[in-house]
Amino acid sequence: MMGAYFRKMAGSTQSPPRVGLGEILWSFLGSFLGIVAVAYINYGWLDTTGLFLLIGSLGASAVLIYGAIKSPLAQPRNFLGGHVISALIGVTAFKLLGPHLWLAAPLAVAFSIAVMHATRTLHPPGGATALIAVISGPQVTNLGYLYVLIPVGAGALVMLAVALLVNNLAPRRRYPEFWW
C-alpha cells in the first residue's frame, strides 16, 4: 500500500503552486520585523539580565505566521497555545527526567504533539520549543517554568503583534483566519 503511494508521488511532476512577488515580499517583511523585534528586545534590553527572548523555534514559527498565514497551524490559537503547552511539557519532562536526557527529550516532543492535538493547538515549532527546554543546557533549564513566560510566551506575543500589524497591511492578506 505504501509502495503505491511512493510510486505515485515519485511519478508526480507537479510542483507546489508558485506565490507571487507581493506575497514573497510581505512574508519577508513580516518575518524580518517579527524576528528583529524579538532580537532587539533580547539583545537591547534583556542581554544583561540573564534572561533571553530569542529561541530557535520562533524562527520556524515565522515561516508559518508570516509566510503561510492561511494555514490552520499558523493561527493565534495554534501559535500561542502550541508554544506555551510545549514549553510546559518540556520543562516538566526535564524536571522529571533531567538525568536521562535520552528519554526526556523524545517524551517532551511526543507528549507535546499529543497534547497539542488534543487541545487543537497543533503548531509544529512547538515540538522544538519542548526540545529546547530539555536539551539547551543551564541557561534554559535554570529558568524552570519561567521559560514558559520568558522567552516562550513573551517572544510569541511580540511576534504575534507584528503578525497582526504586517499581515493586515496588504490588501489581499488577512490574519488571522480565526482566533479560537
Side-chain angles (χ1 to χ4, degrees):
M1 186 167 163
M2 288 300 288
Y5 171 78
F6 287 116
R7 279 191 299 281
K8 178 181 176 188
M9 295 310 294
S12 176
T13 58
Q14 197 171 31
S15 296
R18 185 180 305 269
V19 297
L21 181 59
E23 186 68 20
I24 293 169
L25 291 174
W26 282 109
S27 297
F28 173 89
L29 180 64
S31 61
F32 175 78
L33 292 175
I35 296 296
V36 84
V38 173
Y40 178 77
I41 294 168
N42 186 86
Y43 295 112
W45 295 355
L46 296 179
D47 208 25
T48 59
T49 68
L51 295 173
F52 56 95
L53 210 55
L54 195 58
I55 56 173
S57 55
L58 292 179
S61 290
V63 174
L64 289 166
I65 68 170
Y66 305 115
I69 65 174
K70 295 192 179 299
S71 169
L73 305 176
Q75 302 310 305
R77 173 192 180 95
N78 297 70
F79 172 56
L80 294 174
H83 275 298
V84 168
I85 287 167
S86 297
L88 284 166
I89 291 169
V91 171
T92 302
F94 180 80
K95 286 187 170 293
L96 294 175
L97 298 165
H100 310 287
L101 294 180
W102 65 271
L103 184 57
L107 282 173
V109 173
F111 270 110
S112 292
I113 293 168
V115 175
M116 285 188 290
H117 267 305
T119 59
R120 298 178 307 131
T121 59
L122 189 66
H123 184 67
T129 297
L131 191 58
I132 290 166
V134 174
I135 67 167
S136 289
Q139 183 183 17
V140 172
T141 57
N142 288 345
L143 291 174
Y145 288 104
L146 181 59
Y147 171 76
V148 178
L149 298 176
I150 299 173
V152 174
L157 285 173
V158 169
M159 287 185 58
L160 179 61
V162 173
L164 291 170
L165 176 68
V166 172
N167 288 333
N168 290 301
L169 287 175
R172 293 190 181 123
R173 290 171 63 107
R174 190 187 91 205
Y175 180 83
E177 294 288 310
F178 57 86
W179 279 94
W180 303 109

